[in-house]
Amino acid sequence: MTDTSSTRNRTALVTGASRGLGLALARALAGAGWNLVLTARGARDLERAAAELGATAIPGDVADPAHVRRLAEAAPALDLLVNNASDLGPTPLPRLADLPPEAFGALLATNVTAPLALVQATLPALRSARGAIVNVTSDAATGAYEGWGGYGASKAALEQLSNVLAAEEPDVRVWWVDPGEMNTRMLADAVGAEEAAGAADPAKVAAALHDLVSARPASGRVSLQ
């Protein structure tokens, strides 16, 4: 059972929060009394989510350095950073032989560089609060799935970045989390809506992720599959 009294005044910054796992986790955190700063590229959906949850909405692209600065300034006291926003890349998913290098560069910008920039911008606040970072990754970071090479390589980079960050920042919890397949628009874009419909409900995965945040285990890789 969640101890809501201990989290009532804490603040979390969640990226990719307008739908899917990000929105489901935001709902779980709001239900436990967290103050929320939410961001995503789609302003209309994000503002709808923020209105539902009583959160602060700051729409924009996490790959934009100016947007990263705005997010950090909006949360000068921060207990939890959730790097959930991700780019799937071109669809249908191409084999590596056909992946345009510029598309791979865009994947790295959103899935690796942007999370690092947000970590760097918010670390002073997170250190002060002895807070936590959740970097959402994928089993594609370690599995060899045809067509998933670009996305998987970017998530592998995010996992190693998280691994080193955990060693360098002992006062901050760092978890890199494989949530497993979920019924989201991103998965539907990759494998089709019919196959995606058989995947896990993001709300159930978000509940497990919220339990992780509440339990605060040692830093490390976590699989929610």
Side-chain angles (χ1 to χ4, degrees), residues 103-182:
F104 184 55
L107 274 173
L108 294 175
T110 298
N111 296 355
V112 184
T113 306
L116 175 60
L118 270 169
V119 166
Q120 292 172 336
T122 59
L123 257 177
L126 290 168
R127 288 174 181 145
S128 178
R130 301 181 72 82
I133 297 167
V134 172
N135 289 327
V136 177
T137 67
S138 168
D139 63 343
T142 56
Y145 307 123
E146 292 185 14
W148 290 84
Y151 178 82
S154 72
K155 290 299 186 180
L158 181 60
E159 292 211 348
Q160 179 60 359
L161 183 153
S162 305
N163 195 14
V164 174
L165 182 66
E168 293 178 343
E169 300 291 338
D171 290 336
V172 177
R173 293 285 195 273
V174 183
W175 304 297
W176 46 112
V177 178
D178 169 14
E181 285 195 342
M182 294 173 290

Side-chain angles (χ1 to χ4, degrees), residues 2-206:
T2 301
D3 179 6
T4 57
S5 63
S6 65
T7 59
R8 186 172 299 114
N9 298 316
R10 294 184 179 180
T11 298
L13 168 58
V14 184
T15 72
S18 64
R19 53 189 169 89
L21 178 62
L23 176 57
L25 179 61
R27 284 173 171 151
L29 291 169
W34 287 70
N35 301 316
L36 297 175
V37 177
L38 307 180
T39 189
R41 285 178 292 189
R44 181 176 299 178
D45 288 344
L46 182 69
E47 288 167 359
R48 184 182 300 117
E52 170 195 332
L53 303 175
T56 299
I58 306 179
D61 188 341
V62 292
D64 177 1
H67 184 57
V68 169
R69 288 194 295 273
R70 284 194 293 272
L71 292 173
E73 290 168 0
L78 186 66
D79 303 277
L80 175 65
L81 168 64
V82 182
N83 278 313
N84 171 67
S86 293
D87 186 1
L88 183 62
T91 55
L93 295 175
R95 296 168 63 88
L96 285 174
D98 303 315
L99 177 62
E102 59 272 21
F104 184 55
L107 274 173
L108 294 175
T110 298
N111 296 355
V112 184
T113 306
L116 175 60
L118 270 169
V119 166
Q120 292 172 336
T122 59
L123 257 177
L126 290 168
R127 288 174 181 145
S128 178
R130 301 181 72 82
I133 297 167
V134 172
N135 289 327
V136 177
T137 67
S138 168
D139 63 343
T142 56
Y145 307 123
E146 292 185 14
W148 290 84
Y151 178 82
S154 72
K155 290 299 186 180
L158 181 60
E159 292 211 348
Q160 179 60 359
L161 183 153
S162 305
N163 195 14
V164 174
L165 182 66
E168 293 178 343
E169 300 291 338
D171 290 336
V172 177
R173 293 285 195 273
V174 183
W175 304 297
W176 46 112
V177 178
D178 169 14
E181 285 195 342
M182 294 173 290
N183 183 13
T184 63
R185 186 183 302 177
M186 176 179 283
L187 183 62
D189 288 343
V191 302
E194 184 175 351
E195 183 174 339
D201 184 342
K204 293 183 178 179
V205 179

